[in-house]
Amino acid sequence: NAKRDKADSHVWFSQAQADDDPDTLRLETDLREALSAGDQLFLRFQPQFRLSTASLIGFEALVRWQHPVRGELSPADFIDLAEDAGLMTALGDAVVNLACREFARLRTEVGLDLPVGVNISPRELVAERFVERIAGCLDQYGLPSSMLTLEITENVLIESPTIAAEALARLRRRGIRIAIDDFGTGYASLSYLNRFPVDVLKIDKQFVRDILLDRNDCAIVNAIIGMAHNLELEVVAEGVETAEQMSLLKSLGCDTLQGYLLGRPMLGSDIAAFLRTAERISSQIEAA
Ligand code: C2E
Ligand code: MG
Ligand code: MG
Ligand code: MG
């Protein structure tokens, strides 16, 4: 088995060898444990603000892993691992469950009535009974479908168009909104996306980062916003870090912003306190 052959592992690092790396194997075992034991995985929630009304309109859930030895790990440290180890649907189910539970709690305890966006990997979307599992989770916590948005990446629509279209149509019928994440980094055109029941387009942060410095990036963002609006999609800009980026995005007609400028990803238990400061952020947006 070439994959298990370590003969020349001292020469080059490769994905095949990474599979055999004791560190990776160890982390995989730890992740299995975290998924069955249950309190190491948690979510941070990042706020999103609508520019036209300067108001908070929702949050995105971002998974974290509190590893007993390595500390707080980000998705970049373990999503690929989960994927390779066949743990992605289990991880995805855990995330959907945590997000629904927290937003059901916030709804009853704080009166929060805003949607939460959950990232869905391609493998989850095309998995057996995906829509039923989502619907079951909403039912379990008594959360209305309108409080859930699913974020998918454009490539799953190219790689598995038939299964994805079927799943999206059934989600739409239940009133669950769909956002295309990291738009511009994959291979789909806007006209292609428009064949699917999509509601929101999230412009990848790589285009936002240099929007003031790079004329090409600015032109791309401008074009995406224009076309998205013609197709009646709501546009979210990710990774907004400065007031200057906010002003420019506002002048380009972007609908919604998400980024460190308006709020870092926070614990669910900190959302109530955040809501009390949202007024101040709204003034900042109005002044932009
Ligand atoms: P994403 O869905 O595009 O999420 C946005 C990422 O940008 C998050 O990174 C967030 O912390 C980061 N971010 C937010 N504002 C700013 C900013 O102003 N500047 C910069 N530089 N970054 C900002 P994070 O949490 O590390 O997540 C990375 C990616 O991992 C996500 O990208 C998403 O693709 C994936 N991911 C996160 N949570 C989940 C999950 O529960 N399930 C799945 N399948 N994937 C997830
Ligand atoms: Mg996302
Ligand atoms: Mg993104
Ligand atoms: Mg991403």
Side-chain angles (χ1 to χ4, degrees):
N1 185 334
K3 212 176 164 182
R4 296 285 161 193
D5 181 6
K6 281 187 154 179
D8 57 2
S9 63
H10 61 285
V11 182
W12 295 114
F13 178 87
S14 74
Q15 188 51 48
Q17 287 146 12
D19 290 346
D20 280 341
D21 173 359
D23 244 32
T24 306
L25 289 176
R26 183 62 219 257
L27 206 58
E28 185 181 317
T29 309
D30 293 347
L31 184 57
R32 267 180 221 287
E33 243 169 67
L35 283 166
S36 59
D39 60 352
Q40 292 175 21
L41 292 171
F42 66 101
L43 301 178
R44 290 191 178 275
F45 300 95
Q46 187 175 34
Q48 301 173 325
F49 286 81
R50 175 164 293 139
L51 281 165
S52 64
T53 55
S55 56
L56 178 69
I57 58 148
F59 290 84
E60 175 178 8
L62 297 158
V63 70
R64 300 289 183 264
W65 177 11
Q66 187 62 46
H67 187 280
V69 177
R70 303 184 197 210
E72 182 172 328
L73 301 183
S74 292
D77 302 317
F78 62 91
I79 288 282
D80 286 352
L81 177 85
E83 196 79 55
D84 294 344
L87 297 171
M88 199 56 231
T89 50
L91 177 61
D93 283 352
V95 167
V96 171
N97 195 67
L98 286 169
C100 290
R101 191 177 75 189
E102 191 62 21
F103 270 63
R105 183 189 73 76
L106 287 163
R107 187 161 179 258
T108 44
E109 291 180 12
V110 185
L112 184 73
D113 195 20
L114 296 175
V116 59
V118 175
N119 292 285
I120 301 295
S121 77
R123 202 180 296 273
E124 288 174 76
L125 184 72
V126 302
E128 197 105 16
R129 298 181 49 80
F130 172 71
V131 180
E132 286 82 354
R133 293 208 307 280
I134 294 282
C137 196
L138 288 169
D139 287 349
Q140 183 189 340
Y141 293 106
L143 202 66
S145 306
S146 59
M147 282 186 72
L148 186 65
T149 302
L150 299 183
E151 299 194 359
I152 63 171
T153 47
E154 55 202 297
N155 289 343
V156 67
L157 302 181
I158 298 176
E159 281 152 24
S160 316
T162 315
I163 306 172
E166 165 81 1
L168 295 191
R170 293 172 63 211
L171 291 165
R172 159 69 60 90
R173 260 181 262 131
R174 288 182 184 262
I176 295 166
R177 283 164 33 106
I178 304 297
I180 301 297
D181 205 353
D182 304 341
F183 185 73
T185 61
Y187 306 105
S189 65
L190 264 171
S191 66
Y192 183 79
L193 289 187
N194 198 42
R195 300 189 209 158
F196 299 89
V198 166
D199 307 284
V200 179
L201 205 77
K202 300 189 74 175
I203 301 177
D204 192 72
K205 56 180 177 294
Q206 88 174 56
F207 300 110
V208 174
R209 190 184 56 216
D210 296 332
I211 196 172
L212 289 131
L213 311 169
D214 188 329
R215 294 173 63 101
N216 292 327
D217 285 349
C218 186
I220 289 167
V221 169
N222 190 26
I224 293 175
I225 292 170
M227 282 189 288
H229 283 169
N230 280 329
L231 299 171
E232 297 182 319
L233 296 170
E234 180 191 332
V235 183
V236 180
E238 302 186 306
V240 181
E241 296 184 358
T242 70
E244 290 75 21
Q245 289 168 339
M246 172 162 69
S247 299
L248 181 49
L249 287 160
K250 193 176 187 179
S251 72
L252 294 177
C254 186
D255 301 296
T256 301
L257 303 187
Q258 182 179 341
Y260 297 159
L261 176 70
L262 304 171
R264 295 248 168 192
M266 67 189 88
L267 296 175
S269 54
D270 290 332
I271 287 182
F274 177 78
L275 296 177
R276 293 191 285 272
T277 68
E279 198 70 17
R280 191 171 41 82
I281 299 168
S282 297
S283 318
Q284 211 182 325
I285 296 170
E286 274 162 7

